Amino acid sequence: MERLNKVVVFTTSCVSIPVIQLLASQNRLAGVVTLSQGDLGDSRLVGDLQQLRQQLVQANIPLIDLNDTRLLAQFDHWQASAGLVFGFSHKIDAQVCDYFDGEIFNLHASDLPAYRGSNPIYWQLRDNLTQTQLTLHRLTQQMDSGEIGLQVPLAIHPFDNHQSLSLRVMQAAPQLVADFITGYETGAIDWRAQQGEVSLAPRVNVDNAQLSWSEHTVADFIGAARAGNPHHGGVAVHVNGGTFNVMQITASSQPSYGCVPGTVLAVDKEKGLIVAAKDGAVRLDVIVAQSGYYSGYQFAVFYQLDAGMILG
């Protein structure tokens, strides 16, 4: 059977480090392809890339930029036989894919074809899913559409946020890759076409934190806060001309008494800060302002919110 002797890892994120370490320990790592900081834009992604590169340099792992004109020649020098994409924030063009003659694979944190795109973790949390899959599939030019080789299930805890679920994906990835290598080299991988309804998980932008009290449900607010915590601003709330970010929201049994959505229903040391939504009430648990981090009750007292006020 064919062996995966030398694997090139394409990544711009520290989420890939345990996989890189696994391949290096098996003497299968050819090198790592990253991007330059200028190709990322997002300051959080830049910070992640800087940390990744620093760790790889310290470990004497060879690196090259995707846009380096010597890229394919470097693959030859590395005697690369396969590619593995994990946490890479850029599309890989056909010329690079063709180099590996189909033996380039992607790790994607969803049960494909659901949540194809650059941020599946965010959108699954936003939709309040309780279960997902870490999927290894063939990389093709059509986004996240290649045949599936192997999957591992991941439960999504009710208190998971973007960071915690990303860490568990990071922890699950090395075993999935190890199992795939074993199966690949023994001919045990049963490749299958993706089946089911396609949904998309596009790049997150600042507008995704903007929810409407009159249009969104209690579940919408809970999911958006979890998904946006800590990287994407949770849910934006407008108070007295200012904008604040709510990073944790829970459902409340407080009756809304037919109040307009967005109405402050209660400010109470025990109950917290309760606000009417479209189909019920929510408690704003953790709020971030320029002046600091607050519980809902602390925020309401500090910014002089009272029952009956309407939030934007």
Side-chain angles (χ1 to χ4, degrees):
M1 293 294 176
E2 187 175 353
R3 284 180 53 82
L4 297 176
N5 289 319
K6 292 294 180 181
V7 179
V8 177
V9 176
F10 295 74
T11 183
T12 55
S13 173
C14 288
V15 71
S16 64
I17 287 176
V19 167
I20 292 170
Q21 292 172 333
L22 167 74
L23 294 172
S25 71
Q26 296 183 352
N27 197 31
R28 296 179 186 271
L29 182 65
V32 175
V33 176
T34 64
L35 291 171
S36 64
Q37 296 178 21
D39 290 323
L40 297 181
D42 187 317
S43 59
R44 179 183 62 84
L45 297 179
V46 169
D48 195 10
L49 174 61
Q50 289 175 331
Q51 185 178 353
L52 169 72
R53 293 179 69 95
Q54 182 179 19
Q55 293 194 44
L56 296 180
V57 169
Q58 289 175 348
N60 294 316
I61 291 173
L63 300 170
I64 190 169
D65 191 282
L66 179 70
N67 297 315
D68 194 311
T69 57
R70 301 165 296 175
L71 183 65
L72 299 186
Q74 187 64 63
F75 290 166
D76 288 339
H77 178 70
W78 286 343
Q79 297 182 317
S81 58
L84 179 64
V85 182
F86 186 30
F88 194 69
S89 54
H90 198 83
K91 184 175 181 179
I92 297 172
D93 63 32
Q95 184 181 27
V96 175
C97 292
D98 290 345
Y99 179 91
F100 296 102
D101 195 24
E103 302 310 295
I104 181 168
F105 314 105
N106 183 46
L107 282 174
H108 188 80
S110 80
D111 188 8
L112 291 172
Y115 299 95
R116 290 177 176 173
S118 61
N119 209 324
I121 289 177
Y122 176 90
W123 293 105
Q124 288 172 98
L125 287 170
R126 181 139 179 170
D127 289 343
N128 293 297
L129 266 62
T130 60
Q131 185 84 16
T132 188
Q133 301 269 357
L134 180 56
T135 300
L136 190 149
H137 67 96
R138 290 194 187 276
L139 189 73
T140 65
Q141 286 299 289
Q142 184 179 354
M143 181 180 62
D144 298 325
S145 64
E147 291 181 315
I148 292 173
L150 206 59
Q151 291 182 302
V152 61
L154 288 174
I156 301 178
H157 191 276
F159 297 156
D160 263 326
N161 59 28
H162 197 285
Q163 184 79 354
S164 64
L165 186 53
S166 296
L167 287 173
R168 287 198 289 110
V169 168
M170 178 179 178
Q171 293 162 357
Q175 187 60 58
L176 177 62
V177 171
D179 291 344
F180 172 74
I181 290 173
T182 299
Y184 182 90
E185 296 186 343
T186 59
I189 297 297
D190 183 20
W191 295 100
R192 59 181 176 84
Q194 296 183 24
Q195 297 180 339
E197 185 175 350
V198 175
S199 61
L200 300 181
R203 189 178 299 276
V204 181
N205 59 53
V206 293
D207 291 337
N208 296 130
Q210 309 292 327
L211 270 66
S212 166
W213 294 107
S214 61
E215 296 177 7
H216 291 92
T217 66
V218 169
D220 291 335
F221 276 93
I222 292 171
R226 293 172 65 200
N229 180 8
H231 301 309
H232 301 292
V235 173
V237 173
H238 306 285
V239 180
N240 296 332
T243 300
F244 307 90
N245 296 96
V246 188
M247 309 305 284
Q248 181 177 307
I249 296 176
T250 53
S252 171
S253 59
Q254 174 79 26
S256 61
Y257 302 111
C259 289
V260 172
T263 302
V264 176
L265 299 175
V267 175
D268 183 89
K269 194 170 185 179
E270 300 299 325
K271 293 181 179 180
L273 171 58
I274 312 297
V275 181
K278 175 183 177 180
D279 61 342
V282 295
R283 186 177 69 224
L284 310 188
D285 296 321
V286 179
I287 302 176
V288 179
Q290 287 187 341
S291 52
Y293 292 72
Y294 299 88
S295 70
Y297 174 74
Q298 291 171 334
F299 178 83
V301 171
F302 191 78
Y303 286 93
Q304 299 180 328
L305 304 187
D306 294 314
M309 291 182 63
I310 299 177
L311 306 183

